[in-house]
Amino acid sequence: MNDTNRMTERSSLQRVLVASSDDSVVNSIRTLVDPGPEARFTIESAGGLVETLEKARASTYDVLLLDLSLDKANGLDMLRTVHSKIDAPIVILTQAGSETLSLQCLEEGAQEYLHKEDLSTLSLRRTLGYAISRHRANDLRLRLEHSDRLACLGQLTAGVAHEINNPATYVLGNLRQIGAVSYTHLTLP
């Protein structure tokens, strides 16, 4: 394989930022998304909330895997902070048995959640891929809605301009006629 093909292949990989202070979780994820011949993802890690935000500001990621036990912080507050500062889909990593918290995270903007104990190659790849696809679809939907609003605004503006232009043309024509008639009456001996 030549260098151009390698560069194209590398650029087509989806970038994943794993925010976890647990090195075993990060290593497990790296192993599960094996950078073999079928690799779709490239993994980077951040060991704390501050580092996660700094890396996300400095670079663009396709998806963020956020460990709710990161920095021993409140999981929902951390998710809100990250969600407000990063424009990427967020997949939550939780402990088994935290279904209520996981569902609250989904309500707060997370795309999906995974239990650390149940990670598998298939579930991880599928979840990351679906999260990215849903985020892109939602982004496209928002852009289309914005374009549609602008198109409606343009039509409304054109209609209003037409409604103003027609009477204005009539009044202007009549004013010219009145001006001509008035001039004629004023100049008569």
Side-chain angles (χ1 to χ4, degrees):
M1 182 182 301
N2 65 31
D3 289 338
T4 305
N5 288 343
R6 280 192 191 113
M7 286 175 49
T8 303
E9 186 177 302
R10 282 278 175 220
S11 65
S12 67
L13 293 176
Q14 294 170 321
R15 297 184 68 209
V16 179
L17 179 60
V18 180
S20 179
S21 52
D22 185 348
D23 290 336
S24 66
V25 170
V26 175
N27 291 333
S28 174
I29 290 168
R30 276 199 172 105
T31 302
L32 289 171
V33 293
D34 179 37
E38 294 179 21
R40 292 179 27 210
F41 304 100
T42 180
I43 305 294
E44 294 180 38
S45 64
L49 181 58
V50 173
E51 184 183 359
T52 300
L53 295 174
E54 286 174 356
K55 282 190 170 191
R57 265 188 238 116
S59 190
T60 303
Y61 293 93
D62 295 299
V63 65
L64 170 67
L65 267 171
L66 181 64
D67 187 346
L68 286 185
S69 63
L70 183 68
D71 290 345
K72 306 294 185 223
N74 177 309
L76 282 174
D77 290 339
M78 182 175 47
L79 172 62
R80 287 182 194 116
T81 300
V82 171
H83 187 61
S84 69
K85 297 183 188 280
I86 295 176
D87 183 33
I90 300 170
V91 175
I92 299 298
L93 291 171
T94 64
Q95 299 292 332
S98 54
E99 291 297 316
T100 304
L101 179 59
S102 298
L103 294 174
Q104 288 173 332
C105 287
L106 292 176
E107 290 173 6
E108 290 293 331
Q111 286 283 332
E112 190 60 77
Y113 67 92
L114 291 167
H115 295 289
K116 294 180 207 176
E117 299 81 13
D118 299 333
L119 291 177
S120 69
T121 298
L122 181 62
S123 69
L124 187 58
R125 286 182 179 181
R126 183 181 296 153
T127 300
L128 294 175
Y130 287 168
I132 293 168
S133 295
R134 279 192 304 269
H135 184 73
R136 288 180 180 164
N138 187 51
D139 191 40
L140 179 61
R141 182 186 58 81
L142 292 174
R143 282 190 271 152
L144 287 172
E145 286 175 1
H146 181 70
S147 294
D148 190 43
R149 277 189 228 115
L150 289 176
C152 288
L153 184 61
Q155 285 179 328
L156 177 65
T157 304
V160 168
H162 179 73
E163 292 300 321
I164 291 172
N165 195 26
N166 281 347
T169 302
Y170 178 75
V171 169
L172 185 61
N174 286 332
L175 284 176
R176 285 187 187 133
Q177 187 67 30
I178 290 171
V181 169
S182 297
Y183 179 75
T184 304
H185 287 299
L186 291 175
T187 57
L188 287 175

